[in-house]
Amino acid sequence: MAEAVLFGLATEILKRAGSITYSKSGLVCGARDELDNLKDTVETIRVVLLDAEKKRWHSNQVENWLRKLKDVLYDVQDLLDDVATEDLKWEVTPGNKMRKAVRIFFSKSNQLAHRLKVANEIQKLWRRLEKIKKDRDFHLYEHQSEESMAIATGKKENLLPDTKIIGREEDKKKIKQLLFASSPSQSVSFVAIVGKGGLGKTALARLVYNDEEVKEHFEPKMWVCVSDVFDVNLIIKEILKSADCPDLENKPLDQLRSLLHETLDGKKYLLVLDDLWNTDRDKWVMLGDWLEGGLQGSKILITTRNHRVAEITSAKSVIYEPRGLSDDNSWDLFRKMAFGDGVESLDPKLKEMGRDIVKKCIGVPLAIRTIGGLLCGKSKDEWLRYKVHELPEIPEIDVDGGIMQVLKFSYDHLPSYLKNCFAYCSLFPKDYVYEKDTLIHLWVAQGFIESCNEEDNLENVAENYLSELLSGSFLDAHSIVKSGYGHEVEQFTMHDLMHDLAQKVAGGECKIVNFKGGDDDRGIRHASFISKTFYEEKLLSLLKTSKLRTFLSLKGESSVGNCHKVFSSCGHCRALYLDYTNIPLPPSSLGKLKKLRFLYIFRNQSIQSLPDSITDLVNLQTLKLSFCLRLQTFPRDLRKLVKLRHLLIDKCHSLSQLPPLSELPSLRTLSLKFLDVLKFVQLTSDPEPSNTTLPFFQSLESLNLHYCIELKGWLGRMQEMGAHQEHRSDNSRSSFPKLRFVYIFGCPHLNSIPSFPRVEYLSIDGTKMLEQQLMANPNCPSKGTVEATFIPFLELKYLTLFNTDMNLEPFMLKTLLQSASNLKYMKICHFDLRSLFREMQLLSSLKELDIWGCQGLDLSCQEDKHGTQWQCLTNLRALTIGICKDLVALPEGIQRVTTLQSLHILKCSSLRRLPEWIGNFSLLEELELIDCRELEHIPFEIRNFTHLKKLRIRKCPLLDGRCLADVHIPMIVWEGDEMYDSSDSD
């Protein structure tokens, strides 16, 4: 990670020191020459860092030189950060305090002292850098850019977890047979999947775990990732969590074991223990005793690399050893990773080289995915260079360390900015489920996200980074949600071998601290703590000897006595993550965290109010508070947090009021969830007039109001409410000029919110707020005047609308759709569609339509009994019909939508047959029929689907599989997830 860190540090230093804003700083006035000398030296060193990275693995001399250089560059960055922070603090100090501070600061004595101090510090750092530069008695070549090492920015696909699993159908079938087999001598028996790292053991176990037949055979099903630490008590708690047992955190051990007995007793359960390493028989016996009591046929499925582990769990364990992928399956997986789906023909030279490269991987899926991801988007010359000059140096994968060499090879060819992000993931334990937004905010806080344009949204750039790491299999998608934008990764994991690699390349830079002693923590900059108990003396010693930039407490369940000393020692921290670390926030020391960018406080029962000193954290970008059950108030002067971009408050059930959030100039995301007593988003009695020249929430892009059951409106005082209502018509101060994403659910009393006319993604339930949004004049709410006063949503592209309480009048939806000419995606739930026959004709841009629990799907009316409204949907590509229990047959009008590429029919319990005219959908690529219990017929015309790539049928018990005997479709997924390849049907 050294080169990645150094290159990033040097780049940020040059960018900041050369900025116009920095050149105007009063604190560097008089130190221009020193600063220029410093910049020149940093630039001279920066251009040789790429060559130094290549040589450091073979030269201790280069390694030591880089380590010394890193310490100095960190100090340079800290100094520049200090100067910028002091300038910012003077800018945000309000009123009389500002004038007094400026008078003191610019007094001749004080001004001279500060400038002299900064000049001296810059001079000292420059001399240290010059000494390091001259101490180099080895030659390094200059590289001005990273182009030769950068990943091509071609098309990257975040593949769904199961789409990467190729060639395991037979393995899956055999493991299911082992799980379903009875064991007369044991009520609970064991099956072990044993194989070397990277072979896909966990993926195979997950494939079996999610199988429909397995779901019906076992109840409950539980999955626990064990990895290196075999802690019996922790494993019991994780088993209970997986079984959805509530309120586990405060239960003592004896209650947890009693609850485990209740959960398993008399039930045929399936427990998966993934990535098991324990070879201590005594430890296993302690856990095994608690897993007895299941019904005959209960199974424990383990994955491990070690036969001894399987024998320890049970002498009668059935061991299954999956082999590597066949040559053809290996090529299919490689082609998917290197070229994506739908490649009809490949360059013969690339295909030949690809086949040779695949042979090197000897059927190991992780190696195939990693190399394939690396080569994605590369030119033919680059393929040739890798094949001829670089890959031959890697030993065979079946030799010890071979797979790690392949992974290291792929890592070496990442650009430095991705190396930083990847290595940073090593701060979290193995099998950790990463939250996308949280990790992205951490990357941004550490300055890992590079952008040439200061106006770029750094979070969007970070999402591109994440996409590249996913495409290269450095990370794996864990949870993917469907939205109007397609499928988006919300959570992801890291293969245990990739985690080993991340720890290796991070070196001493990032470290999980265990306080066991004997570890060398010198040079550590990013630390995480997963111990249940803080060893306060050791913690303070660590903070004293290091300059931590990341402090992550992930599994604390503890308190710290001298929290003042802890916070006072975190002055270099850019990220502070406190999970269940039950400590107060001392005002006197919290304000010292002036470099802090990210603050996350989770499950803290000590905090009743955030201290005023939090407003001194002028660099803060992300503030997230969750499960702080006693938190009631915020400081009033939050406006000083001029860099705050994301404010997320979740399950703080006592929080009753918030300060004027509209005065946060950089706020981009506002998320308020499960705030039980909050009545108004803003409640203020500030007598000072607000700045009416600025737009209301000038930077806000995303608004999420989720289950705030008492929320009534935006503003808590009538005169302020009236003032903000004027924003609706006063163009000099428009409301939400950048708001694009709005999610409002479970706020039944919300009836007042400033308008957001530029919204692109709107997802709401049947609140009164929608009616208020549709009116330009809130005094004209009647049906007769709504069309005349309607504010059109001209930029709306994605609409999800739930008529939860069935109280949203149809004309409101009709009015909304009348201006939705640019609508691309629409999901509507619990409406009578017959009232929308005219509006449907306006949706010519619609590409995807989801209909759930709706009546009148035929859209017929007296004016049109044939449903010709469907014919107007000239761009519709995907149609989903779900939970329409009274739907006996598909409406005739749907056959007019000849552009359909995917059709999904879900939980339509009365549907008996598909019509013959369904064969008219000649462009259909995917057909899904799920939980249609009465469906008994698929017409012969399904053979007309010449473009169909996938047919998925589940929970349709009356359908006879023989009706598909002669159907040639690349993939058929039938009840129980059995897969058939049409190429084998002959």
Side-chain angles (χ1 to χ4, degrees):
M1 189 181 175
E3 168 268 332
V5 171
L6 288 168
F7 199 89
L9 281 172
T11 301
E12 184 180 341
I13 288 168
L14 292 171
K15 186 176 180 180
R16 171 166 282 187
S19 68
I20 296 175
T21 302
Y22 203 84
S23 65
K24 294 180 179 179
S25 170
L27 288 176
V28 297
C29 182
R32 308 289 182 195
D33 293 340
E34 291 86 349
L35 189 61
D36 288 341
N37 289 337
L38 183 68
K39 286 162 52 181
D40 291 342
T41 303
V42 171
E43 178 59 38
T44 301
I45 293 175
R46 190 176 83 112
V47 295
V48 301
L49 288 177
L50 296 179
D51 189 49
E53 163 67 7
K54 296 177 182 179
K55 295 179 178 177
R56 64 184 285 260
W57 299 102
H58 310 290
S59 170
N60 289 332
Q61 196 178 18
V62 177
E63 176 75 17
N64 291 332
W65 182 79
L66 287 172
R67 186 174 63 250
K68 294 176 184 178
L69 177 61
K70 180 178 64 176
D71 290 339
V72 182
L73 289 184
Y74 268 130
D75 289 343
V76 172
Q77 188 190 46
D78 281 340
L79 176 62
L80 299 181
D81 205 5
D82 288 338
V83 171
T85 300
E86 289 302 314
D87 284 340
L88 188 58
K89 288 175 71 173
W90 302 129
E91 290 179 17
V92 302
T93 305
N96 293 328
K97 291 182 180 180
M98 176 67 172
R99 287 190 288 271
K100 181 179 179 181
V102 170
R103 186 171 62 250
I104 294 174
F105 177 69
F106 283 106
S107 65
K108 289 185 178 181
S109 57
N110 191 71
Q111 186 179 12
L112 182 61
H114 275 74
R115 288 177 177 175
L116 186 60
K117 180 180 178 181
V118 170
N120 287 338
E121 289 297 322
I122 294 176
Q123 183 77 7
K124 289 178 183 178
L125 291 170
W126 173 68
R127 288 174 179 169
R128 288 172 62 189
L129 277 175
E130 279 290 304
K131 185 176 185 302
I132 290 172
K133 186 180 75 170
K134 293 175 181 177
D135 281 348
R136 191 182 82 213
D137 55 0
F138 45 84
H139 182 71
L140 294 175
Y141 292 100
E142 294 186 3
H143 292 271
Q144 293 294 337
S145 70
E146 294 185 87
E147 292 176 359
S148 62
M149 300 181 68
I151 286 181
T153 55
K155 181 182 179 183
K156 302 292 181 181
E157 297 183 20
N158 294 335
L159 297 177
L160 279 68
D162 288 353
T163 63
K164 292 185 179 181
I165 303 174
I166 292 176
R168 291 303 188 192
E169 293 82 6
E170 190 63 28
D171 294 300
K172 175 186 171 183
K173 184 184 295 186
K174 290 179 179 179
I175 293 173
K176 283 173 60 178
Q177 291 172 352
L178 295 175
L179 292 179
F180 293 161
S182 60
S183 177
S185 62
Q186 297 174 292
S187 61
V188 181
S189 54
F190 293 79
V191 176
I193 303 176
V194 182
K196 59 190 171 187
L199 200 59
K201 301 181 294 296
T202 298
L204 181 55
R206 181 69 70 181
L207 201 61
V208 172
Y209 185 81
N210 290 329
D211 178 81
E212 289 294 326
E213 288 185 341
V214 171
K215 289 179 181 178
E216 293 180 2
H217 190 85
F218 296 102
E219 177 60 36
K221 292 192 308 127
M222 298 151 291
W223 181 291
V224 176
C225 298
V226 182
S227 289
D228 300 336
V229 180
F230 192 88
D231 184 323
V232 174
N233 299 332
L234 180 60
I235 293 173
I236 288 175
K237 181 179 287 189
E238 293 301 317
I239 292 173
L240 291 171
K241 284 182 180 178
S242 185
D244 295 325
C245 295
D247 304 324
L248 300 176
E249 298 301 339
N250 298 317
K251 282 185 170 59
L253 181 58
D254 57 340
Q255 288 188 24
L256 291 176
R257 290 177 171 176
S258 176
L259 183 57
L260 180 64
H261 177 74
E262 294 175 11
T263 301
L264 304 182
D265 189 38
K267 298 175 183 176
K268 188 189 293 186
Y269 71 82
L270 171 65
L271 171 63
V272 178
L273 298 176
D274 183 39
D275 197 20
L276 198 60
W277 288 84
N278 174 60
T279 56
D280 187 330
R281 176 66 182 169
D282 293 336
K283 285 185 177 181
W284 172 255
V285 170
M286 291 174 60
L287 176 63
D289 289 344
W290 293 103
L291 299 178
E292 298 293 337
L295 200 64
Q296 188 79 22
S298 295
K299 295 285 183 177
I300 297 176
L301 176 65
I302 69 172
T303 69
T304 181
R305 300 185 206 172
N306 191 335
H307 280 81
R308 176 63 179 157
V309 172
E311 296 165 0
I312 286 293
T313 56
S314 173
K316 298 182 179 180
S317 291
V318 179
I319 296 178
Y320 184 81
E321 298 184 72
R323 297 181 178 180
L325 298 181
S326 67
D327 290 345
D328 287 342
N329 286 327
S330 295
W331 170 246
D332 287 343
L333 178 57
F334 178 84
R335 184 173 59 182
K336 180 185 287 287
M337 298 303 301
F339 303 104
D341 290 325
V343 178
E344 300 298 332
S345 61
L346 296 177
D347 184 302
K349 288 289 186 182
L350 286 182
K351 186 174 182 179
E352 181 183 354
M353 284 191 286
R355 289 279 188 181
D356 290 341
I357 291 171
V358 166
K359 289 178 183 178
K360 183 86 174 180
C361 298
I362 62 170
V364 177
L366 182 60
I368 297 169
R369 289 196 284 118
T370 304
I371 296 296
L374 169 68
L375 294 173
C376 179
K378 293 289 194 296
S379 67
K380 190 187 299 185
D381 289 341
E382 289 174 296
W383 277 60
L384 185 62
R385 176 164 58 86
Y386 292 143
K387 177 182 178 295
V388 174
H389 298 292
E390 301 192 43
L391 283 170
E393 298 180 6
I394 299 176
E396 293 295 334
I397 289 178
D398 56 353
V399 177
D400 288 344
I403 178 66
M404 188 59 70
Q405 288 294 321
V406 171
L407 304 186
K408 177 64 167 56
F409 171 80
S410 296
Y411 168 84
D412 286 341
H413 288 80
L414 287 175
S416 64
Y417 54 83
L418 288 185
K419 289 180 179 178
N420 278 333
C421 295
F422 171 71
Y424 195 80
C425 293
S426 66
L427 284 174
F428 298 85
K430 283 187 177 181
D431 303 310
Y432 188 84
V433 178
Y434 301 83
E435 298 288 341
K436 179 191 75 172
D437 289 342
T438 297
L439 192 62
I440 281 177
H441 293 157
L442 285 168
W443 287 347
V444 172
Q446 297 302 332
F448 294 159
I449 311 303
E450 298 178 12
S451 173
C452 298
N453 185 353
E454 292 185 2
E455 299 299 319
D456 285 347
N457 187 323
L458 294 180
E459 287 76 14
N460 289 345
V461 178
E463 287 211 39
N464 293 335
Y465 286 15
L466 177 60
S467 179
E468 294 208 36
L469 290 174
L470 285 165
S471 298
S473 294
F474 292 93
L475 299 170
D476 294 313
H478 179 76
S479 171
I480 297 180
V481 296
K482 181 182 177 183
S483 71
Y485 292 109
H487 291 91
E488 297 184 3
V489 178
E490 277 197 337
Q491 297 176 320
F492 48 93
T493 56
M494 178 181 283
H495 191 282
D496 57 334
L497 282 175
M498 281 295 185
H499 194 277
D500 291 340
L501 175 64
Q503 288 184 318
K504 176 181 177 64
V505 299
E509 190 79 14
C510 305
K511 195 168 185 180
I512 298 175
V513 179
N514 55 28
F515 295 118
K516 290 182 179 179
D519 291 340
D520 184 5
D521 294 328
R522 290 177 300 175
I524 185 171
R525 298 286 177 165
H526 308 282
S528 62
F529 308 87
I530 59 175
S531 173
K532 287 186 177 180
T533 305
F534 274 126
Y535 295 88
E536 191 170 314
E537 183 178 345
K538 294 181 179 179
L539 174 61
L540 291 173
S541 176
L542 170 65
L543 293 173
K544 184 178 180 180
T545 57
S546 62
K547 297 178 180 179
L548 285 188
R549 293 182 160 222
T550 302
F551 185 117
L552 306 182
S553 170
L554 299 178
K555 296 182 180 178
E557 298 189 32
S558 61
S559 59
V560 177
N562 199 336
C563 53
H564 171 74
K565 279 190 176 180
V566 171
F567 284 115
S568 296
S569 303
C570 291
H572 292 84
C573 262
R574 292 184 166 207
L576 185 60
Y577 184 114
L578 303 175
D579 181 353
Y580 212 7
T581 306
N582 219 14
I583 62 176
L585 300 179
S588 57
S589 55
L590 183 65
K592 296 181 180 179
L593 306 180
K594 58 184 179 179
K595 294 184 175 66
L596 201 66
R597 269 80 168 166
F598 176 97
L599 177 59
Y600 179 25
I601 303 174
F602 184 40
R603 291 185 294 188
N604 190 309
Q605 309 305 316
S606 299
I607 303 173
Q608 296 187 36
S609 62
L610 290 180
D612 289 341
S613 59
I614 199 172
T615 64
D616 293 332
L617 307 181
V618 292
N619 285 306
L620 195 65
Q621 298 170 351
T622 300
L623 176 59
K624 186 173 182 179
L625 306 165
S626 184
F627 275 103
C628 298
L629 300 183
R630 300 180 65 191
L631 179 65
Q632 298 178 22
T633 59
F634 268 62
R636 291 177 62 250
D637 203 17
L638 211 64
R639 73 187 76 180
K640 291 168 64 178
L641 300 182
V642 293
K643 290 193 175 182
L644 189 67
R645 301 156 65 89
H646 310 282
L647 177 60
L648 308 104
I649 310 173
D650 180 23
K651 296 184 177 67
C652 297
H653 299 307
S654 301
L655 185 63
S656 59
Q657 62 182 27
L658 291 168
L661 303 178
S662 60
E663 297 175 352
L664 295 169
S666 301
L667 191 66
R668 297 192 179 203
T669 304
L670 176 60
S671 179
L672 307 176
K673 296 183 178 181
F674 298 97
L675 307 184
D676 293 347
V677 298
L678 187 70
K679 294 184 178 180
F680 298 96
V681 176
Q682 293 195 186
L683 188 64
T684 179
S685 58
D686 193 344
E688 296 183 10
S690 60
N691 186 349
T692 57
T693 63
L694 294 175
F696 186 63
F697 278 92
Q698 58 182 304
S699 300
L700 195 67
E701 297 173 355
S702 177
L703 173 65
N704 191 329
L705 303 177
H706 208 122
Y707 289 97
C708 299
I709 57 176
E710 294 296 324
L711 191 63
K712 296 180 179 180
W714 197 269
L715 296 162
R717 296 181 60 189
M718 292 305 297
Q719 63 268 31
E720 291 170 353
M721 186 180 297
H724 286 297
Q725 284 175 350
E726 292 175 3
H727 301 331
R728 303 167 63 88
S729 57
D730 182 4
N731 293 330
S732 66
R733 190 170 188 236
S734 60
S735 62
F736 298 126
K738 295 185 178 180
L739 188 59
R740 297 293 182 269
F741 304 88
V742 176
Y743 313 83
I744 302 178
F745 284 94
C747 304
H749 305 296
L750 180 62
N751 56 20
S752 174
I753 181 172
S755 61
F756 38 80
R758 302 190 66 182
V759 65
E760 294 181 9
Y761 193 125
L762 176 60
S763 183
I764 63 175
D765 59 6
T767 63
K768 299 177 183 178
M769 188 278 305
L770 179 62
E771 179 177 341
Q772 186 260 354
Q773 279 293 311
L774 292 174
M775 308 294 179
N777 183 355
N779 297 319
C780 301
S782 67
K783 179 177 178 180
T785 59
V786 65
E787 294 183 5
T789 60
F790 172 60
I791 296 179
F793 289 142
L794 297 177
E795 299 185 37
L796 185 63
K797 295 182 177 65
Y798 309 94
L799 173 65
T800 301
L801 188 58
F802 290 83
N803 195 10
T804 306
D805 300 322
M806 305 298 289
N807 61 359
L808 190 64
E809 295 190 33
F811 83 90
M812 286 295 173
L813 178 56
K814 293 171 66 174
T815 305
L816 180 63
L817 295 181
Q818 286 173 10
S819 73
S821 58
N822 293 315
L823 201 62
K824 306 294 183 186
Y825 168 87
M826 181 168 70
K827 178 178 181 179
I828 52 178
C829 306
H830 307 300
F831 285 92
D832 188 337
L833 298 181
R834 284 169 292 200
S835 63
L836 302 176
F837 69 97
R838 288 177 178 168
E839 286 69 32
M840 293 291 287
Q841 299 180 45
L842 305 175
L843 303 181
S844 59
S845 297
L846 197 66
K847 292 185 176 181
E848 186 169 351
L849 175 61
D850 286 7
I851 299 173
W852 292 84
C854 292
Q855 301 175 355
L857 186 59
D858 57 1
L859 296 177
S860 62
C861 63
Q862 292 183 353
E863 298 180 29
D864 179 10
K865 296 183 179 181
H866 302 287
T868 55
Q869 292 82 8
W870 290 98
Q871 189 174 2
C872 299
L873 303 178
T874 54
N875 284 293
L876 194 65
R877 300 292 185 268
L879 174 64
T880 297
I881 301 172
I883 320 182
C884 295
K885 298 180 180 179
D886 298 329
L887 185 69
V888 178
L890 290 183
E892 294 284 332
I894 294 181
Q895 65 179 302
R896 299 175 181 272
V897 188
T898 58
T899 55
L900 271 188
Q901 295 177 357
S902 63
L903 175 62
H904 309 269
I905 304 175
L906 317 173
K907 297 185 178 182
C908 294
S909 55
S910 299
L911 183 68
R912 294 181 179 274
R913 57 191 296 121
L914 295 182
E916 283 72 16
W917 52 255
I918 198 172
N920 296 339
F921 296 146
S922 59
L923 300 179
L924 203 67
E925 297 179 358
E926 182 172 343
L927 174 62
E928 186 176 53
L929 305 168
I930 295 181
D931 205 4
C932 298
R933 298 289 179 171
E934 299 297 320
L935 185 65
E936 56 188 16
H937 175 69
I938 294 180
F940 180 85
E941 284 74 11
I942 194 175
R943 291 158 180 80
N944 297 340
F945 293 158
T946 56
H947 289 82
L948 197 65
K949 297 178 180 178
K950 193 167 189 179
L951 172 63
R952 184 182 294 113
I953 302 175
R954 291 180 181 171
K955 295 186 179 180
C956 300
L958 300 184
L959 272 181
D960 190 340
R962 287 177 294 181
C963 66
L964 300 175
D966 297 325
V967 177
H968 296 273
I969 298 172
M971 184 178 290
I972 300 176
V973 184
W974 191 262
E975 179 79 30
D977 285 339
E978 295 297 338
M979 296 187 183
Y980 304 91
D981 189 336
S982 65
S983 62
D984 298 331
S985 328
D986 296 332

